[in-house]
Amino acid sequence: MLKHFVKLKSPLNSAVIYPTLKDQVGRFNDTGWTHANARSLWDLWSDDGFIAPDERHELDHVEPFDEWEEFAMFASHYFILIASQDLDGEVIHPSPRISANEHTEDATIPKLDLVPQIEKGITPRRHGSSFTIDSDNVLCFAGHGVQGRLSTTDQLTSSATETSTIDTLSIPPVTGVVCNTTTRFQQNDHLVVGGRRSPDDAQRGCFHRSQGRWHRVEDLPKGLYRHTATKVHCGGCEGILIHGGKHSSTEISDDWLFWQPGASWRKLRVRGELPDSVFGASMIATDANSGLMLGGINSQNVVNMKIWRWDVKSDQGDEGVYVHCDQIDPTIPNGALQMAAVARFGAQIVSLGSKILLVGGICADGITRLQDEILQIDASSATIGRVRKENVSQRPLLIGVSIEKLEEDRCLIIGGGAVCFSFGTFWNTCCFLCGMKIDSHDKKWTLRHVHGQKYTKSRHLPTVDDVPNTRSTSIRALADCETVEVPRCTIASKKDFESVLRAGKPVILEQLDIGPCAHLWSLDYLRAKVVIHASRSTQMDFVKKNFEYQHIRFGDFLDALERNEAVYLRAISSSNPTTQATSLDKDFPKLAGDFDLPPELADVTDNLHSSPLRISGPARMWLHYDVMANVLAQIRSSKELILYHPSDVDQLGFAPGASSSTLDVCDTAKHKFKPHTKRYKASVSAGDVLFIPALWSHAAAPTDGFSVAVNVFFRNLTTGYAAGKDVYGNRDLQAYENGRQNVQRMANAFKDVPAEARTFYLKRLAQELMDLAE
């Protein structure tokens, strides 16, 4: 912040000379003012006499908000000071929350080493998650980055590790979310719970890592973020206990939820004293089934000043498992601290040796002071005290960090940073190894690998709510593109098909009456002169044009099919192929009578664009998308199609303005797929009709001899199509064509701007577009 004002050539020199509120008050006292008091705006925010609780709460309804750490830091940098010669004129009273105790050296304060690790290359990340794969590997994922929510996973490894990369199946299936929890239990299992995309977009999904693989388990009853979680033992098995958090920007949860492998989420009853509803609290188990919880922000939007002891118990009666809570008063030796410095929002909590460490966050009375950044808690006596940090060559900003316990008395502090509104952003550029008496024998940590695309460019990147909600679903489909089968169904009416259209997902329609073509169209039956694609490769590539167009007699084409040559027919208009779309009725009148669209597909018939005949040998159709929806009626043999959701388009190698890609997605032996794309496979046989929604990228390959199909394209939009001819049904929407021209105009507007500035502003414009896409 001070650097910001220096850049503006208006340095805040007084803030350097008088850096604390006490210094600022003394500044006036020293010049003869009888009375002077100062309070930060964050402190005043929490004062009911300054802002009524109802007013603070009402602000939740003005706009979605979750930048509490930034707000607290910003408001803590500003203060109101009233100096007066007359006591009656004093209008600001001393804070009831602020601690006046100054830091004093105490030889009895335990020492804690904080040694920087990985000082180059690590992804700036705040409000992310982390977990240990083994004693030498930690993965960091999700969270906010420099330009938005992250989709990368950083692999941190110790120098003792020889392997270069991890199994991609270990990568969590959670990207583009923040403020979730990852909790370790049962040796080395982990559970990822909730998170958010935006303050009003809480996620419900939960993922269990067991035996090195991620599986989706039952969703939360309601989306949740900024909750707190810990492992707990109950009924002979460890599980996860979560409490608090937010369902949305205006709704705080007061639920205690419990989960165990193979079971559903259970809402626990509360006995004893009922804790306040809070979010951003800190909770830890101190033994098998009990622990502590403190801090968080309550329903009045102020930091909660209470500490609770909780116990998970089992009742043989109707109540079953419940949680018992009691508020406790901590012991603070020698008055070195006050609860305003102990109560935290967004702090991390971890056991280290025989002590519990409370790390970072925002205090009730403002920015956490240097001497109070890390506190120690004795669980048995509820004693809270300071630790003295040593070997710290650079002070970290302990906001938005994650902490990963490595050994009994070692942990890694990962990530952290904050955006202080117009004053800029600060990031921790390294990790910190934390422990008692770290020496040269301790492992040194390095960045081994960064997995995945850097930023969430749109909502398609698989987040917790993008995966089907079944407890047995494996997340391998997201990690290594394991195929998801396109479902099959039968429809009996036009209304049934309208439901398929509204769903907007591929589906194979069975038992439709498409006419006698299924048993009539043999090789001997099909004779005509047509235009075909003849390819020297089994994988045709529209971009590279590794095929040629030939005019041959249809009988010669069928002979080539019998020789198993890589030939492919996609019919075009026989009268005017450059301006008119093909029609089975007009271009193959002798065949058209054999093919019917049943009445259930009246929406297709009523909005018909074209109906190309497709016949192929062992030639795979390139990956492409169509702007119009279509149905593919398989007449003879069988075919396999690979499809991708429209939101995966930026992962599939489409050049700007192109509707075809060079990726051979049908050959898994040759093509290594990127993680975080979800493939759908449709296996269609004679008589099946596959519905392909608009903009779903797809490729096709015959699986049994030659393939015959009729593809019927239809207009599924009432407006928006590009003006002019569209022979193949894949001309992009008019808005996209106009948009590409506008993009070029924007780029041209910066042609005389220095390269660095041009890059800066074009990236900002690109981010604005991505934000709009979400």
Side-chain angles (χ1 to χ4, degrees):
M1 182 176 286
L2 294 178
K3 290 180 179 179
H4 171 79
F5 285 103
V6 170
K7 289 181 180 179
L8 296 177
K9 297 183 179 180
S10 58
L12 301 181
N13 294 326
S14 64
V16 177
I17 302 172
Y18 309 102
T20 68
L21 288 181
K22 183 178 179 181
D23 293 331
Q24 292 287 348
V25 170
R27 176 187 183 187
F28 283 80
N29 292 150
D30 293 344
T31 54
W33 293 90
T34 306
H35 306 287
N37 281 302
R39 296 178 65 180
S40 73
L41 296 189
W42 175 245
D43 182 36
L44 289 168
W45 164 266
S46 306
D47 188 337
D48 293 349
F50 193 82
I51 301 178
D54 290 345
E55 289 183 284
R56 288 193 298 261
H57 182 70
E58 187 62 29
L59 289 174
D60 283 341
H61 299 275
V62 175
E63 64 174 321
F65 181 78
D66 191 38
E67 288 74 30
W68 286 99
E69 291 93 346
E70 283 85 350
F71 174 45
M73 293 177 67
F74 186 90
S76 296
H77 279 85
Y78 288 84
F79 64 92
I80 295 177
L81 185 147
I82 302 294
S84 173
Q85 298 288 15
D86 182 3
L87 183 60
D88 294 335
E90 184 179 342
V91 295
I92 186 168
H93 302 283
S95 170
R97 303 163 65 93
I98 197 165
S99 171
N101 294 298
E102 295 299 317
H103 176 53
T104 57
E105 290 294 334
D106 185 343
T108 64
I109 294 178
K111 298 178 181 179
L112 182 72
D113 289 336
L114 213 59
V115 181
Q117 309 279 309
I118 318 174
E119 298 190 50
K120 184 177 181 181
I122 194 167
T123 304
R125 190 185 304 267
R126 57 192 173 93
H127 301 305
S129 283
S130 60
F131 70 97
T132 56
I133 294 179
D134 51 47
S135 60
D136 291 316
N137 287 282
V138 173
L139 293 190
C140 317
F141 65 100
H144 276 296
V146 176
Q147 296 180 6
R149 290 175 284 113
L150 290 166
S151 301
T152 56
T153 299
D154 287 353
Q155 178 189 349
L156 314 183
T157 186
S158 72
S159 57
T161 305
E162 295 180 359
T163 55
S164 59
T165 57
I166 59 166
D167 185 345
T168 56
L169 299 183
S170 295
I171 298 174
V174 180
T175 60
V177 297
V178 300
C179 301
N180 56 358
T181 57
T182 303
T183 310
R184 182 178 180 176
F185 68 110
Q186 290 185 351
Q187 298 298 322
N188 202 30
D189 280 20
H190 297 86
L191 187 73
V192 175
V193 176
R196 69 166 177 84
R197 293 172 179 166
S198 68
D200 278 336
D201 191 8
Q203 304 294 289
R204 298 175 57 214
C206 304
F207 299 89
H208 178 202
R209 181 177 183 266
S210 178
Q211 298 181 343
R213 299 294 181 264
W214 288 98
H215 301 270
R216 184 159 186 166
V217 294
E218 184 184 60
D219 284 358
L220 290 166
K222 198 171 184 179
L224 199 62
Y225 63 93
R226 294 274 197 182
H227 52 284
T228 186
T230 187
K231 68 178 182 180
V232 67
H233 195 280
C234 184
C237 177
E238 273 191 349
I240 303 299
L241 178 71
I242 67 173
H243 174 62
K246 301 196 81 171
H247 296 308
S248 68
S249 62
T250 60
E251 184 181 1
I252 303 176
S253 171
D254 60 1
D255 292 338
W256 292 79
L257 300 174
F258 182 59
W259 176 90
Q260 288 176 306
S264 300
W265 284 100
R266 285 184 282 175
K267 182 177 178 180
L268 304 186
R269 295 179 182 270
V270 181
R271 291 186 180 179
E273 300 178 79
L274 185 64
D276 299 332
S277 300
V278 292
F279 61 97
S282 304
M283 182 168 71
I284 191 169
T286 55
D287 56 34
N289 57 0
S290 63
L292 299 174
M293 184 185 71
L294 70 158
I297 287 180
N298 60 28
S299 58
Q300 296 182 11
N301 283 337
V302 298
V303 175
N304 185 48
M305 301 281 283
K306 300 175 182 177
I307 299 180
W308 299 86
R309 188 183 298 279
W310 53 265
D311 294 272
V312 175
K313 299 182 178 182
S314 181
D315 189 342
Q316 298 301 319
D318 296 336
E319 197 165 16
V321 179
Y322 66 93
V323 60
H324 186 279
C325 298
D326 291 301
Q327 185 180 346
I328 62 174
D329 295 320
T331 301
I332 303 177
N334 303 321
L337 291 166
Q338 289 190 4
M339 274 304 297
V342 174
R344 306 282 177 95
F345 169 76
Q348 297 295 310
I349 194 166
V350 63
S351 62
L352 209 63
S354 61
K355 303 295 183 182
I356 295 170
L357 297 184
L358 185 67
V359 180
I362 291 296
C363 292
D365 60 356
I367 296 175
T368 310
R369 290 177 290 276
L370 177 63
Q371 65 269 25
D372 299 333
E373 285 181 328
I374 301 179
L375 302 179
Q376 65 165 345
I377 303 174
D378 187 309
S380 59
S381 62
T383 300
I384 302 177
R386 292 180 173 129
V387 297
R388 185 165 66 245
K389 300 188 294 293
E390 297 198 343
N391 295 323
V392 184
S393 58
Q394 52 183 295
R395 181 186 178 185
L397 178 61
L398 298 177
I399 300 294
V401 301
S402 62
I403 295 184
E404 200 57 38
K405 186 173 180 178
L406 305 173
E407 304 169 28
E408 185 59 28
D409 61 349
R410 296 286 187 270
C411 66
L412 270 181
I413 299 177
I414 304 165
V419 179
C420 201
F421 303 97
S422 62
F423 297 111
T425 305
F426 180 89
W427 297 97
N428 292 329
T429 56
C430 63
C431 297
F432 293 87
L433 182 62
C434 178
M436 309 295 181
K437 297 182 180 179
I438 294 175
D439 56 32
S440 59
H441 298 291
D442 277 271
K443 298 174 181 178
K444 301 298 187 294
W445 288 80
T446 59
L447 177 67
R448 176 70 71 181
H449 196 63
V450 178
H451 304 264
Q453 177 181 303
K454 194 167 188 179
Y455 295 104
T456 299
K457 293 187 176 180
S458 65
R459 61 182 177 86
H460 78 274
L461 288 172
T463 59
V464 293
D465 283 353
D466 293 329
V467 187
N469 176 19
T470 57
R471 284 192 289 171
S472 62
T473 300
S474 171
I475 305 306
R476 291 187 59 180
L478 298 181
D480 63 352
C481 298
E482 187 172 284
T483 302
V484 176
E485 293 285 345
V486 171
R488 292 175 169 268
C489 74
T490 57
I491 58 174
S493 65
K494 179 177 182 290
K495 185 177 180 180
D496 288 347
F497 185 65
E498 289 173 350
S499 297
V500 171
L501 292 178
R502 285 194 299 270
K505 299 266 184 84
V507 63
I508 299 172
L509 306 175
E510 297 178 315
Q511 302 176 22
L512 287 176
D513 182 9
I514 57 175
C517 54
H519 66 269
L520 286 179
W521 286 7
S522 65
L523 290 179
D524 292 336
Y525 188 88
L526 302 172
R527 299 291 168 185
K529 185 177 180 180
V530 295
V531 175
I532 67 166
H533 301 318
S535 178
R536 292 177 293 276
S537 168
T538 57
Q539 166 61 23
M540 294 193 299
D541 190 320
F542 183 82
V543 177
K544 296 178 180 177
K545 293 292 193 299
N546 65 340
F547 58 83
E548 59 188 13
Y549 294 92
Q550 295 181 358
H551 284 267
I552 62 173
R553 292 190 60 81
F554 193 58
D556 295 334
F557 169 70
L558 297 182
D559 292 340
L561 284 178
E562 291 182 320
R563 294 192 298 270
N564 204 37
E565 292 181 9
V567 290
Y568 187 100
L569 177 149
R570 194 277 189 196
I572 58 177
S573 170
S574 59
S575 59
N576 199 339
T578 60
T579 59
Q580 292 182 3
T582 183
S583 166
L584 191 68
D585 288 342
K586 295 179 181 178
D587 300 319
F588 299 91
K590 294 182 179 179
L591 297 178
D594 301 332
F595 175 79
D596 292 319
L597 282 177
E600 294 91 336
L601 302 184
D603 280 295
V604 178
T605 306
D606 295 343
N607 299 284
L608 182 69
H609 169 267
S610 58
S611 51
L613 175 67
R614 296 184 184 272
I615 306 176
S616 68
R620 299 190 295 271
M621 185 65 179
W622 57 78
L623 181 66
H624 67 286
Y625 66 82
D626 299 304
V627 178
M628 295 185 188
N630 65 92
V631 292
L632 179 70
Q634 188 69 21
I635 309 300
R636 294 296 300 266
S637 193
S638 59
K639 182 181 294 184
E640 188 174 276
L641 290 91
I642 301 297
L643 305 97
Y644 293 86
H645 190 279
S647 55
D648 277 340
V649 66
D650 60 344
Q651 301 286 318
L652 299 175
F654 286 95
S659 60
S660 297
S661 169
T662 61
L663 290 185
D664 182 4
V665 297
C666 294
D667 191 345
T668 57
K670 290 183 179 180
H671 182 65
K672 181 176 177 61
F673 298 100
K674 297 179 181 179
H676 311 312
T677 58
K678 187 175 182 180
R679 296 192 302 155
Y680 293 77
K681 183 177 77 172
S683 299
V684 292
S685 302
D688 288 339
V689 177
L690 172 65
F691 167 63
I692 305 177
L695 305 179
W696 278 70
S697 303
H698 56 281
T703 56
D704 182 20
F706 74 95
S707 169
V708 181
V710 175
N711 206 177
V712 184
F713 291 81
F714 62 101
R715 297 175 179 85
N716 58 301
L717 300 177
T718 55
T719 60
Y721 292 113
K725 63 181 181 180
D726 184 8
V727 174
Y728 292 97
N730 62 355
R731 182 174 173 181
D732 284 305
L733 297 180
Q734 187 67 57
Y736 175 72
E737 294 186 353
N738 294 343
R740 292 196 67 226
Q741 296 175 7
N742 293 333
V743 167
Q744 190 59 51
R745 292 189 187 100
M746 284 191 292
N748 290 339
F750 289 92
K751 66 180 180 179
D752 296 326
V753 175
E756 187 174 78
R758 181 171 62 252
T759 300
F760 174 86
Y761 283 109
L762 288 177
K763 282 186 174 181
R764 294 205 65 193
L765 288 170
Q767 184 59 47
E768 289 186 40
L769 287 173
M770 296 315 304
D771 291 342
L772 291 172
E774 295 181 15

